[in-house]
Amino acid sequence: MVYFLSDIHLGSKALPDARNHQDKIVTLLETLSKDATAIYLMGDIFDFWFEYFWPTRSKQHRFGSFLNELRSLTDRGIEVHFFTGNHDLWTFGQLAQMTGAIIHKKPLTTVFQRSGLSDAAASAGLTAQRSFNEVVCFLAHGDEFCWENHYQWLRRFFHCRVAQFFFRLVPPCVGDAIGFSWAAKSRRREMVEPTEYKGEANEALVQFAKEYSKTHEVDYFIFGHRHIELDLQISARTRVVILGDLFRQGTYAALDENGNLSLLNYQL
């Protein structure tokens, strides 16, 4: 099984008990590890993550059990893929070193092999067709395709190397205080006014997938970011899946050996 988790927002100040939330996520990962070949963390796993020039133990103190679990997974041969989101894009090598995770800072198209062809496909002489023995997934956090209101300018600032350099000079206790306080505002707002589905015609991720699939063969577009649970068939072959979140909703996805993708729920 291959699992996809997104928008956990570990350490959020908006949570009444951030430590308990982290423990539940660690328990989920340990449960998934029983049959997982790979786990894809699709962004905003931390409510704020920044790697400073200053040496610090604050991350191990705040996220120790989660980081240790990721290291345990990779040590057991389970691939962990970490996609940076808009809350945790500021990793410069430390996270990979601590956990063994493979870091992705850009969208990724990857192909999963089905364990075997269906009897119907084989009897029809379709054993060589890619559409029956390969599952093509386009993976991204999703914020890079949501160009609305002021966010495009904010995202450019977040990715500005000059701004990142100077923020890395800030003492971690100051930087983290700023980052976690800023991040908590949107989480608290979400608790009062949960994110709503805008409709097929107005969801930027759906529109991107429709346009992209005109020139690329994709079975599943898998996104995070929006904090909505969506499984939408946009063509005979292609589905758009938005994972929801493991902050409030408790949703994630699993891809089985036959190439079937399912949205699942976990009690937070």
Side-chain angles (χ1 to χ4, degrees):
M1 296 283 278
V2 179
Y3 293 99
F4 303 88
L5 292 67
S6 184
D7 296 87
I8 302 174
H9 292 277
L10 290 170
S12 174
K13 288 186 174 182
L15 289 167
D17 191 342
R19 181 64 61 182
N20 182 56
H21 176 238
Q22 181 173 180
D23 290 343
K24 288 183 178 180
I25 298 301
V26 169
T27 299
L28 172 61
L29 289 174
E30 190 58 31
T31 301
L32 300 184
S33 72
K34 294 176 182 178
D35 64 357
T37 56
I39 295 175
Y40 285 76
L41 303 174
M42 300 300 300
D44 286 358
I45 304 307
F46 304 100
D47 207 36
F48 181 69
W49 177 279
F50 197 98
E51 295 172 8
Y52 306 90
F53 285 125
W54 301 73
T56 177
R57 295 180 58 86
S58 62
K59 289 177 177 56
Q60 192 62 39
H61 174 73
R62 189 187 297 267
F63 303 120
S65 60
F66 178 76
L67 296 172
N68 291 339
E69 178 62 22
L70 294 190
R71 171 52 71 180
S72 175
L73 293 173
T74 57
D75 285 348
R76 283 179 275 166
I78 300 172
E79 287 188 3
V80 175
H81 295 259
F82 187 102
F83 284 72
T84 57
N86 48 298
H87 283 253
D88 49 18
L89 65 99
W90 302 282
T91 176
F92 309 105
Q94 187 182 102
L95 180 61
Q97 184 178 16
M98 295 171 73
T99 65
I102 302 167
I103 308 299
H104 300 278
K105 295 191 174 185
K106 294 181 179 180
L108 173 72
T109 298
T110 190
V111 178
F112 298 101
Q113 297 291 331
R114 287 189 173 94
S115 61
L117 299 175
S118 68
D119 293 338
S123 64
L126 299 175
T127 56
Q129 288 198 14
R130 192 184 82 171
S131 59
F132 284 95
N133 61 14
E134 294 181 345
V135 179
V136 182
C137 294
F138 182 96
L139 309 175
H141 177 60
D143 69 306
E144 54 267 79
F145 308 120
C146 293
W147 296 97
E148 54 188 14
N149 300 330
H150 66 285
Y151 181 67
Q152 57 179 312
W153 305 108
L154 187 61
R155 188 175 188 277
R156 287 170 181 165
F157 176 72
F158 286 166
H159 285 263
C160 174
R161 292 186 179 182
V162 175
Q164 291 175 357
F165 174 84
F166 282 107
F167 200 84
R168 292 186 76 187
L169 296 173
V170 173
C173 60
V174 176
D176 282 355
I178 295 171
F180 281 102
S181 296
W182 160 76
K185 293 179 181 179
S186 57
R187 301 285 70 74
R188 292 189 180 107
R189 183 168 60 249
E190 177 188 354
M191 288 178 169
V192 176
E193 299 178 2
T195 304
E196 295 182 350
Y197 178 49
K198 296 179 179 180
E200 185 174 342
N202 296 312
E203 282 291 343
L205 297 179
V206 173
Q207 293 306 307
F208 166 80
K210 286 184 174 182
E211 191 64 28
Y212 188 88
S213 61
K214 290 178 181 179
T215 54
H216 300 78
E217 292 186 349
V218 177
D219 293 293
Y220 300 112
F221 288 88
I222 303 176
F223 300 114
H225 184 60
R226 284 282 291 124
H227 289 235
I228 59 172
E229 186 180 5
L230 179 70
D231 186 352
L232 180 67
Q233 194 90 30
I234 61 171
S235 73
R237 171 179 179 148
T238 305
R239 286 160 58 188
V240 178
V241 174
I242 301 179
L243 296 169
D245 66 72
L246 280 162
F247 169 77
R248 181 180 57 84
Q249 299 177 73
T251 53
Y252 64 103
L255 182 71
D256 69 20
E257 60 184 7
N258 295 315
N260 300 313
L261 186 71
S262 303
L263 283 167
L264 305 172
N265 288 277
Y266 178 62
Q267 184 64 46
L268 289 172

